[in-house]
Amino acid sequence: MHSSPPETRASLILRLPDAADVAAWDEVVAIYTPLIRRLAFAQGMQPADADDLVQEVFSAIARSVSQWLDRTDRGGFRAWLLTIARNAAVNYLTRRGTRTLATGDEDAAAMLAEVPAPTSEVSSQFDQEYRREVFRWAAAQVKCQVAETTWAAFWMTQVEGISVAETARRLEVSVGTIYVGRSRVMSRLKEVVKQHEVTQWC
């Protein structure tokens, strides 16, 4: 049984109340947008509806994250975001764009800050998607930092399941080069993921 994936790092979350912190928001949006879109598609939404839902969810988070941070029983950020996304999806499907998720006033923000945690089944599915998305995000970072052959050595053997010997033959390098390249990429991936996450919210 897999352990729960680590939470988004606390230092990043603490920067979210600052709407001008583009780097913090870019990182959160990059990780969570695909997850929210898949949640939307699972609810039968069309791509345009999914895009609207993404905007609503992040707008709701921007309005309410400060209140959520003030809570002593806040729990994990990912669970809170998932609950907002699920509630927003339900609201969106029932109103079909006739009104916004929240008006942006303090009462609405407080309501969003107080939403309960999602069920364990949905959380587990969301956690699995989160793991995949963090890997995709980290892979995109690392791919730009290593040589093409080094990345290919990792991708072909670890993702595509091609043997080391066959990968070496296709890339026209030694078997040792494949092992070294793969190890280098895996180490760097772990570093990037660790930079993004911590084991728990403090």
Side-chain angles (χ1 to χ4, degrees):
M1 182 175 181
H2 295 293
S3 60
S4 297
E7 279 292 336
T8 304
R9 67 178 185 273
S11 60
L12 177 63
I13 299 170
L14 288 171
R15 292 162 55 190
L16 295 182
D18 181 4
D21 193 335
V22 177
W25 277 101
D26 281 351
E27 186 170 334
V28 169
V29 169
I31 292 294
Y32 287 103
T33 292
L35 277 70
I36 298 170
R37 285 179 58 82
R38 280 195 285 276
L39 177 65
F41 294 146
Q43 299 296 324
M45 290 186 179
Q46 298 300 312
D49 296 327
D51 290 340
D52 288 343
L53 180 66
V54 168
Q55 291 189 24
E56 289 200 10
V57 170
F58 285 116
S59 293
I61 290 171
R63 289 192 297 267
S64 57
V65 68
S66 293
Q67 287 88 342
W68 177 77
L69 285 169
D70 288 338
R71 291 176 56 183
T72 57
D73 62 340
R74 58 179 169 256
F77 176 79
R78 189 171 60 255
W80 178 66
L81 183 147
L82 168 59
T83 302
I84 290 178
R86 290 176 63 239
N87 289 350
V90 171
N91 290 343
Y92 194 92
L93 290 170
T94 56
R95 59 184 163 74
R96 288 295 179 182
T98 59
R99 55 188 174 85
T100 58
L101 175 64
T103 62
D105 59 23
E106 292 183 1
D107 289 341
M111 177 189 70
L112 288 168
E114 294 292 334
V115 290
T119 63
S120 58
E121 180 179 356
V122 174
S123 293
S124 177
Q125 295 173 350
F126 198 73
D127 285 347
Q128 291 176 6
E129 291 293 340
Y130 176 76
R131 287 189 183 95
R132 295 189 187 103
E133 207 52 51
V134 168
F135 170 77
R136 292 189 185 98
W137 175 81
Q141 312 299 311
V142 175
K143 185 177 181 181
C144 299
Q145 301 171 5
V146 299
E148 184 176 347
T149 299
T150 300
W151 178 257
F154 162 77
W155 192 264
M156 293 171 70
T157 57
Q158 294 297 108
V159 178
E160 296 181 359
I162 302 173
S163 69
V164 171
E166 176 62 16
T167 299
R169 186 188 70 78
R170 293 187 187 184
L171 296 178
E172 299 181 343
V173 297
S174 68
V175 169
T177 298
I178 299 299
Y179 280 114
V180 171
R182 182 174 67 178
S183 177
R184 184 175 301 164
V185 171
M186 291 176 66
S187 295
R188 182 58 186 143
L189 280 171
K190 290 177 182 178
E191 290 175 2
V192 172
V193 170
K194 186 176 180 180
Q195 289 170 7
H196 173 73
E197 300 176 330
V198 292
T199 56
Q200 62 182 2
W201 170 260
C202 300

